[in-house]
Amino acid sequence: MAAPKNLTGKNVKAPSEEGSAVIKNAAVVSSNLNSTKTVRSFFAPVITDATYDAATGTLVVNGTDFPSNGGDDVDVSKLTIQGDDGDSRQLTPSNVAITSASSFTVVLNGADKEAVNKILNKNGLTSTGNNTAYNLAAAPGFMKAPDGAGIDDMAGNAITVSNVAVPTITDATYDVSTGKLVVTGTGFLAVAGSSNDINVTNFNLKGEGVTLNLTGAGAVDILSSTSFEVTLTGANLAAVNLIFNKNGTSSTNGVAYNLEATEDWNEGADPSTTVTVDAINAITVSGVAVPSIATVSYDAASGVLTATGTGFLTAAGSNNDINALKLTIVGEGGAYTLTGGSVDVIDATTFNIGLKPADKNRINLILNKNGSSSTNTIAYNLIASEDWNAGADAAVPIVDAVTPITVSNVAVPAIASVSYNASTGILTATGSGFLSASGSNNDIDALKLTFVGEGGAYTLTGNSVDVISTTSFAIGLNATDKNAINLIFNKNGNSSTNGTTYNLVASEDWNAGADA
């Protein structure tokens, strides 16, 4: 037989074919051989609709024929709220009394309110995602009165939602060591699907005078209505770690760290509601590494010094992250501190300095052999004194005293031209790749130099000197050598009176600083 309808028009269960003793929505008469009695009249409870206040977590349920059970009328655990894209929350156990035969109220506990507010994400009757209609489903036995046993009402119970909060970010934390950005606030909302509640590309992070958009960072789901996490990777991680250069709430230049979220960063929010967050969302930074240089290479041909390491940081401005004046290079015969060429880091692990000519000239003298040590076996070393990385926190010691240098492309010393002043006895040579040796007045071994002129050749007997630069040296001949040379260099110009071309022969190891 067709199921009878009560006054609301919703179907209720029909009597069984065996003749159930309980018939809902009708008077039941039971008889036996001796008597006839009326049991009682009972109308099945039916939910018609509900309202929900997201601010207070108050659910008001309306309907008909709600029976009383002495104040213990509704089993709240039988109620399920369905929201965005069919996501649902079954309420946790508790019992409430009906307000009347047509109404009861449930004030959601903290956990239920948290879960429900995520999926009832727009004021009105439908959600943001897929425009899903809100519904309150009541499972069998939601009414505690004996006559309500087995009664359910699963569909067609619209919920009208009000006071859905506008998502708002209050602050954030960022751990440089893990790349994890944890954002807190209020009213964060979920949307249908996965990994899509928060559009991370709508975030700008500010530090050390730089604003970075998290391009290509994708999206994440919220953890709760008050929290979500983003783990930065790749280019975003590298860029952010450069500008978040000091633990705390501000960078080394004193500018406060900040998170800016632009319109529709919370995809679960009502698109018609403006949820733009203003520019004041403080970020507390932790885990900033101490800058450390691990390796250095130097190309003697190009004069480029390349350093690798960890935790390199940027400073506001340009060509100032690495203070070249804080870098000292140790090699053959001593140490030399750079006089210029400050640069910006390439990333958190690399910087390059192209030495200016004067510095290159001096460095090439003392880094006089390919490899990691000089001709006198002195290990090459870079000493980075305090505050060499200008982007680092000035309160954090960053001295890096021992960093090996590997040298390449050291030139082979070559003499290109020689001039001799017979009056002063001074011989001046120019060329390339001249190198220094430990000690003094010993870079150029005069005993290795032989002069060819009128009537033969003469090898110097003394007066070894240091080079002036990588391209020049000068020797003032002693009296004996001067007299001998002036005999065979007997005419101005480049040849003698008998037409012999003047020549300097430099035998092996004439430049004592060169690799033997």
Side-chain angles (χ1 to χ4, degrees):
M1 64 180 288
K5 292 186 176 181
N6 64 12
L7 296 178
T8 66
K10 289 199 175 185
N11 290 335
V12 297
K13 293 181 174 62
S16 66
E17 294 181 359
E18 290 77 9
S20 171
V22 178
I23 302 177
K24 295 170 182 164
N25 291 348
V28 180
V29 178
S30 175
S31 63
N32 57 31
L33 295 175
N34 300 315
S35 65
T36 300
K37 68 177 180 179
T38 299
V39 178
R40 74 180 182 89
S41 176
F42 173 65
F43 288 89
V46 174
I47 296 173
T48 56
D49 57 61
T51 62
Y52 178 69
D53 186 329
T56 63
T58 301
L59 178 72
V60 178
V61 182
N62 304 311
T64 59
D65 298 319
F66 294 163
S68 175
N69 190 42
D72 193 26
D73 306 328
V74 181
D75 183 351
V76 176
S77 68
K78 302 291 186 181
L79 303 179
T80 299
I81 294 176
Q82 297 168 330
D84 192 85
D85 200 37
D87 288 345
S88 63
R89 170 73 177 191
Q90 182 178 350
L91 303 184
T92 50
S94 65
N95 298 329
V96 299
I98 61 172
T99 307
S100 67
S102 60
S103 178
F104 65 85
T105 298
V106 180
V107 179
L108 275 57
N109 61 34
D112 285 345
K113 179 184 177 186
E114 169 73 25
V116 168
N117 281 9
K118 288 169 62 177
I119 61 176
L120 302 187
N121 56 15
K122 187 177 74 168
N123 290 331
L125 295 167
T126 58
S127 69
T128 301
N130 298 331
N131 204 34
T132 303
Y134 302 136
N135 182 66
L136 175 64
F142 77 95
M143 282 296 175
K144 299 286 287 183
D147 290 335
I151 297 298
D152 63 16
D153 194 349
M154 299 297 291
N157 305 313
I159 305 173
T160 302
V161 176
S162 63
N163 293 322
V164 172
V166 176
T168 302
I169 294 172
T170 55
D171 53 47
T173 62
Y174 180 71
D175 187 332
V176 172
S177 64
T178 63
K180 182 175 288 186
L181 179 72
V182 179
V183 182
T184 57
T186 59
F188 299 162
L189 298 166
V191 69
S194 61
S195 299
N196 61 349
D197 297 341
I198 304 297
N199 187 346
V200 181
T201 60
N202 283 17
F203 290 144
N204 297 319
L205 301 182
K206 298 181 179 181
E208 192 64 29
V210 177
T211 299
L212 294 174
N213 174 253
L214 298 182
T215 305
V220 296
D221 284 340
I222 61 176
L223 300 176
S224 68
S225 64
T226 61
S227 178
F228 64 84
E229 294 180 357
V230 180
T231 300
L232 302 185
T233 59
N236 285 319
L237 176 67
V240 170
N241 283 4
L242 283 175
I243 64 172
F244 285 1
N245 55 14
K246 188 176 78 166
N247 290 329
T249 57
S250 61
S251 59
T252 54
N253 71 341
V255 175
Y257 299 131
N258 189 61
L259 169 65
E260 179 185 47
T262 59
E263 182 59 45
D264 295 331
W265 58 268
N266 188 175
E267 299 286 2
D270 183 353
S272 65
T273 301
T274 300
V275 296
T276 300
V277 178
D278 61 33
I280 305 175
N281 297 300
I283 305 173
T284 302
V285 173
S286 63
V288 175
V290 176
S292 177
I293 302 173
T295 64
V296 176
S297 62
Y298 177 69
D299 186 327
S302 65
V304 174
L305 185 79
T306 301
T308 62
T310 56
F312 299 164
L313 299 164
T314 60
S318 60
N319 295 323
N320 61 347
D321 297 343
I322 304 299
N323 186 348
L325 303 178
K326 303 286 186 177
L327 303 181
T328 298
I329 294 173
V330 178
E332 176 87 13
Y336 180 78
T337 300
L338 301 183
T339 62
S342 295
V343 296
D344 286 338
V345 298
I346 296 173
D347 54 38
T349 63
T350 310
F351 67 82
N352 293 333
I353 297 179
L355 303 188
K356 68 179 190 178
D359 286 346
K360 179 185 176 184
N361 184 62
R362 292 295 301 275
I363 295 302
N364 282 8
L365 285 173
I366 63 176
L367 302 186
N368 58 11
K369 187 178 77 167
N370 290 331
S372 58
S373 61
S374 67
T375 55
N376 74 338
T377 70
I378 296 294
Y380 298 139
N381 185 48
L382 174 69
I383 300 172
S385 59
E386 187 58 58
D387 298 329
W388 60 269
N389 187 175
D393 184 354
V396 176
I398 62 170
V399 173
D400 207 334
V402 181
T403 305
I405 304 173
T406 301
V407 176
S408 62
N409 294 321
V410 172
V412 176
I415 299 172
S417 64
V418 178
S419 63
Y420 177 67
N421 187 314
S423 175
T424 62
I426 294 177
L427 178 81
T428 302
T430 60
S432 60
F434 298 164
L435 300 165
S436 63
S438 297
S440 60
N441 294 321
N442 63 347
D443 297 343
I444 304 300
D445 186 349
L447 303 179
K448 303 287 186 178
L449 302 181
T450 299
F451 294 83
V452 178
E454 178 86 16
Y458 180 81
T459 300
L460 299 183
T461 62
N463 287 27
S464 295
V465 296
D466 286 338
V467 298
I468 299 170
S469 68
T470 57
T471 60
S472 176
F473 67 83
I475 298 177
L477 303 188
N478 61 33
T480 301
D481 289 344
K482 178 182 177 184
N483 289 334
I485 295 300
N486 284 0
L487 287 175
I488 62 175
F489 284 3
N490 58 11
K491 187 183 77 167
N492 291 332
N494 57 16
S495 62
S496 66
T497 56
N498 72 344
T500 301
T501 300
Y502 298 139
N503 185 45
L504 171 67
V505 179
S507 60
E508 186 57 49
D509 297 332
W510 61 269
N511 188 174
D515 184 358

